[in-house]
Amino acid sequence: EAQVTQNPRYLITVTGKKLTVTCSQNMNHEYMSWYRQDPGLGLRQIYYSMNVEVTDKGDVPEGYKVSRKEKRNFPLILESPSPNQTSLYFCASSLPNYEQFFGPGTRLTVL
Amino acid sequence: DAKTTQPTSMDCAEGRAANLPCNHSTISGNEYVYWYRQIHSQGPQYIIHGLKNNETNEMASLIITEDRKSSTLILPHATLRDTAVYYCIVRTDNYGQNFVFGPGTRLSVLP
């Protein structure tokens, strides 16, 4: 089944403890992206990648890192999480100029 | 990318057609109209997109006015499972693929 998977789906952590949210797609898509969703602010793009080793900042990249060493994976790294990064995170992928497929979401709480 | 304006919320009776409007008066010639929906806190789901011709697929129809300043998403026979937030997005199909999600329309399908 074609899909975008994210792990973990739920995470509660403490300020400053490094964490990684993984994203994987099995559709051989070149393009992958991370969004965060907050009440009243909608979905905002954090980082995106147009192919392996090609990444760029979205609208809200501060406090996040990404890497794209393999085509199928696009992990989101929070080196030192803070409470303002408590949010619902979505990963998405697509072929160039086609619609994006979204993962199921990761609900992160930073205490 | 052009901005869109959608009603905050709408109700629709089960089995009836749901017509969701979107204004995009500043759309430019190479910008497409995309529709996504988000059921509760799941990942957004692609519905349909178009440039200037009306489009139909198994989920919905998209009607774009001749001047392209507005469009309507039609769910022909709404069911309770169509209750969701519907997002109208206007963007070019360049490879950057930054989808800007506004607040959308919260559609409630009522029994």
Side-chain angles (χ1 to χ4, degrees):
Chain A
E1 180 190 352
Q3 60 184 347
V4 178
T5 57
Q6 297 179 226
N7 282 291
R9 296 288 315 279
Y10 302 90
L11 179 60
I12 301 174
T13 189
V14 295
T15 299
K17 186 175 181 182
K18 181 179 179 180
L19 66 92
T20 299
V21 184
T22 64
C23 173
S24 182
Q25 50 92 6
N26 62 0
M27 296 169 279
N28 202 35
H29 287 169
E30 282 88 354
Y31 182 87
M32 298 185 75
S33 179
W34 276 103
Y35 295 83
R36 61 177 289 174
Q37 186 171 31
D38 304 289
L41 296 176
L43 280 140
R44 295 177 292 167
Q45 191 178 51
I46 304 170
Y47 268 95
Y48 64 93
S49 169
M50 292 195 277
N51 215 323
V52 175
E53 303 291 1
V54 181
T55 64
D56 208 347
K57 297 177 181 179
D59 298 320
V60 288
E62 293 78 22
Y64 304 94
K65 286 176 57 177
V66 293
S67 69
R68 188 91 182 272
K69 294 184 169 52
E70 305 167 280
K71 198 172 187 180
R72 63 183 292 127
N73 296 322
F74 190 45
L76 179 69
I77 303 156
L78 286 72
E79 295 266 0
S80 182
S82 63
N84 64 12
Q85 292 178 297
T86 292
S87 188
L88 179 58
Y89 291 87
F90 291 103
C91 180
S93 74
S94 74
L95 292 170
N97 300 332
Y98 279 74
E99 68 273 15
Q100 293 193 358
F101 291 84
F102 284 79
T106 295
R107 190 169 292 279
L108 172 66
T109 301
V110 183
L111 302 174
Chain B
D1 292 340
K3 290 187 176 179
T4 62
T5 305
Q6 298 178 252
T8 303
S9 63
M10 293 181 63
D11 291 340
C12 176
E14 188 178 18
R16 297 291 189 119
N19 297 287
L20 292 95
C22 180
N23 281 318
H24 31 79
S25 58
T26 60
I27 193 171
S28 58
N30 62 346
E31 288 183 313
Y32 287 73
V33 180
Y34 279 78
W35 283 85
Y36 279 76
R37 73 181 182 183
Q38 187 174 24
I39 297 172
H40 193 45
S41 294
Q42 298 177 21
Q45 176 189 25
Y46 166 80
I47 303 173
I48 198 167
H49 76 285
L51 183 62
K52 50 185 174 182
N53 296 323
N54 297 338
E55 302 287 345
T56 295
N57 63 21
E58 64 278 3
M59 288 182 69
S61 294
L62 174 60
I63 309 298
I64 302 174
T65 58
E66 193 166 341
D67 63 7
R68 301 207 328 120
K69 293 184 186 296
S70 66
S71 60
T72 301
L73 177 74
I74 301 173
L75 307 178
H77 305 288
T79 70
L80 299 178
R81 286 175 293 184
D82 292 321
T83 293
V85 177
Y86 287 77
Y87 300 98
C88 170
I89 301 162
V90 171
R91 60 176 295 280
T92 58
D93 258 357
N94 62 49
Y95 195 24
Q97 298 208 35
N98 186 10
F99 282 81
V100 179
F101 287 79
T105 295
R106 183 171 297 277
L107 175 69
S108 298
V109 180
L110 307 174

